[in-house]
Amino acid sequence: MSQTLARAGHWMRAHAPLIRKLQWLVVLAYAVLVGVPAFLPLPDDGARVFNNLTVFAQFVFWGIWWPFVLLSMVLFGRLWCGVLCPEGALAEFASGKGLNRAIPRWMRWGGWPFVAFALTTLYGQLVSVYQYPKAVLLVLGGSTLAAIVVGFVYGREKRVWCKYLCPVNGVFGLLAKLAPLHYKVDAAAWRASSGKKVIPINCAPLVAIRHMEGASDCHQCGRCSGYRGAVSLAARSPNAEVVAHGEALGGGWQTALLLLGLLGIAIGGFHWTVSPWFVALKQGVAEWLIERDILWPLDIGAPWFILTDYPELNDRFTLLDGATIVAYMLGTGVAMATGLSVCLALATRVLGPWRRARFHHLVQALIPAGGCSVFLGLSALTVTMLKHEGVPLDWVAPLRFGLLAGANLWSLVLAWQIAARHSRATARRLGALAGVALALALVDLAWWLMFVAW
């Protein structure tokens, strides 16, 4: 098995030109699906996946592409990033032709993965990115253009955008921690190669290969396979990186991304369209404004690139709509992050004296739950479109709750193994496990509300 995987990595290195051609094919398909529908008439009620390009593109992007890209991170690591991602390919190409400027200090700030994800998630809901092709062109096309510009200005044949500013880089990095495949670095073989003449490797995502301990930053492109006789594609336990390196490689921004981002703001984005609480919030604010004769927030909208504005389809957000959507999503984020933090703080304290690093380590036990949550939310559009196509959906509910149950179990196993690294006392470990279980119950409640109660 180990030799087969190593040979697979070496094959990728040897066939790098073929991989580049594959990347350009994906870029072409991406350009067509993102660009063309934005200039076509909006689909009517009779439009279906296989008779309308706009609906087809919507299904490909939000029904298949993004949910299964996330799943691929858990199964294969960031293979998507290194082999198929159009933004990464374009950013690296532009960087090879560009100005080769040094990466500025502000760009290296560790909070960008969380901030970029949160802002993109909020903005995508305001412009209805899942529903309208112009919004897709604006959000995805805008991100791609930014990747090209950043690549042209900074670095030389590097993926600076991917490393620091990509809105999903942080999410991909979290999920890749669970991948059973990684490029393993043999420290002894590396030291033994010292003094030998070797051809330098261009690591486009700017990974310090010699010190690489996990799969979060590696794009699985295979270029370093066999380097110095010390790097090879290998199998590992899916829990290995989180348990063994989570304390050292985690931190506050990863915790914010997971608790406030994936399990908070993102859930709010999936919730608000079906939530009676959102309706109550909006009605309450509207009544308060009417009582004070403040009517303009109820009537005034904004251009489609700020707030959804498609009057021909009777779909138009007012300023009140936009404000309540943002408030609901941020409120959900704060509520979820607070509740989860309390549960995990109790679990941390049960294991011994308070240590911030231990808290961040325990938070990473929720990565399977966070990944499953985003997959469930994005696949909800898949289900809606399949229903519109007349596909029987009796299997959906059992599958959803089966996935959630599996993610819960995985998170509990991770929590137990993490707790074992911080305490040998079984009672303390069981107490910590109870705190994590309580946090998972809060996540489960959010999805029960969306899929059952509402």
Side-chain angles (χ1 to χ4, degrees), residues 6-17:
R7 284 196 294 269
H10 299 338
W11 184 93
M12 292 180 66
R13 180 199 62 205
H15 292 81

Side-chain angles (χ1 to χ4, degrees), residues 311-330:
E312 66 273 28
L313 297 179
N314 294 318
D315 193 5
R316 180 175 182 266
F317 288 173
T318 64
L319 296 181
L320 174 62
D321 291 317
T324 49
I325 289 170
V326 171
Y328 185 87
M329 291 176 65
L330 291 178

Side-chain angles (χ1 to χ4, degrees), residues 330-393:
L330 291 178
T332 301
V334 171
M336 288 293 292
T338 300
L340 295 171
S341 294
V342 169
C343 296
L344 294 168
L346 291 173
T348 302
R349 187 63 184 85
V350 167
L351 288 172
W354 173 262
R355 286 180 53 233
R356 185 180 302 173
R358 182 189 295 138
F359 171 76
H360 293 316
H361 198 185
L362 269 176
V363 165
Q364 293 193 31
L366 297 188
I367 293 176
C372 183
S373 289
V374 178
F375 182 84
L376 288 175
L378 288 173
S379 62
L381 179 60
T382 312
V383 172
T384 299
M385 298 191 75
L386 290 176
K387 182 178 180 180
H388 192 59
E389 296 292 320
V391 176
L393 298 175

Side-chain angles (χ1 to χ4, degrees), residues 58 62 121 124-125 127-132 135-136 269-270 377-378 381:
Q58 183 185 30
W62 307 118
T121 302
Q125 292 298 309
V127 296
S128 298
V129 71
Y130 299 148
Q131 285 77 35
Y132 295 108
V136 171
F270 298 129
L378 288 173
L381 179 60

Side-chain angles (χ1 to χ4, degrees), residues 186-433:
D186 185 332
W190 191 291
R191 287 194 297 269
S193 71
S194 297
K196 297 180 180 179
K197 185 176 181 180
V198 295
I199 299 174
I201 293 292
N202 172 39
C203 181
L206 298 158
V207 178
I209 299 174
R210 181 176 183 177
H211 304 290
M212 182 169 62
E213 294 181 321
S216 292
D217 296 323
C218 174
H219 283 196
Q220 302 281 71
C221 64
R223 298 180 200 180
C224 64
S225 184
Y227 184 56
R228 291 181 175 270
V231 183
S232 61
L233 184 63
R236 63 177 186 175
S237 164
N239 296 352
E241 183 171 342
V242 170
V243 175
H245 303 294
E247 184 175 10
L249 300 181
W253 285 117
Q254 287 188 17
T255 292
L257 177 61
L258 183 54
L259 301 188
L260 182 56
L262 285 179
L263 293 171
I265 294 172
I267 287 180
F270 298 129
H271 264 202
W272 73 266
T273 56
V274 296
S275 172
W277 299 343
F278 173 78
V279 175
L281 172 65
K282 181 180 172 181
Q283 288 179 343
V285 174
E287 291 172 1
W288 187 90
L289 292 171
I290 291 171
E291 288 172 359
R292 288 157 181 78
D293 201 29
I294 306 173
L295 303 180
W296 56 268
L298 286 71
D299 297 323
I300 297 176
W304 66 268
F305 52 84
I306 297 176
L307 292 174
T308 299
D309 185 27
Y310 300 91
E312 66 273 28
L313 297 179
N314 294 318
D315 193 5
R316 180 175 182 266
F317 288 173
T318 64
L319 296 181
L320 174 62
D321 291 317
T324 49
I325 289 170
V326 171
Y328 185 87
M329 291 176 65
L330 291 178
T332 301
V334 171
M336 288 293 292
T338 300
L340 295 171
S341 294
V342 169
C343 296
L344 294 168
L346 291 173
T348 302
R349 187 63 184 85
V350 167
L351 288 172
W354 173 262
R355 286 180 53 233
R356 185 180 302 173
R358 182 189 295 138
F359 171 76
H360 293 316
H361 198 185
L362 269 176
V363 165
Q364 293 193 31
L366 297 188
I367 293 176
C372 183
S373 289
V374 178
F375 182 84
L376 288 175
L378 288 173
S379 62
L381 179 60
T382 312
V383 172
T384 299
M385 298 191 75
L386 290 176
K387 182 178 180 180
H388 192 59
E389 296 292 320
V391 176
L393 298 175
D394 295 341
W395 51 272
V396 170
L399 179 60
R400 280 172 170 167
F401 289 103
L403 288 172
L404 198 56
N408 276 230
L409 179 60
W410 193 350
S411 287
L412 289 172
V413 171
L414 277 171
W416 180 257
Q417 293 178 351
I418 291 169
R421 294 183 68 89
H422 295 280
S423 176
R424 296 182 179 180
T426 301
R428 287 182 179 272
R429 292 166 67 184
L430 288 172
L433 196 66

Side-chain angles (χ1 to χ4, degrees), residues 16 67 81 95 120 132 138 141 149 218 230 264 275 302 310 427:
C81 298
S95 182
T120 302
Y132 295 108
L138 179 64
V149 171
C218 174
S275 172
Y310 300 91

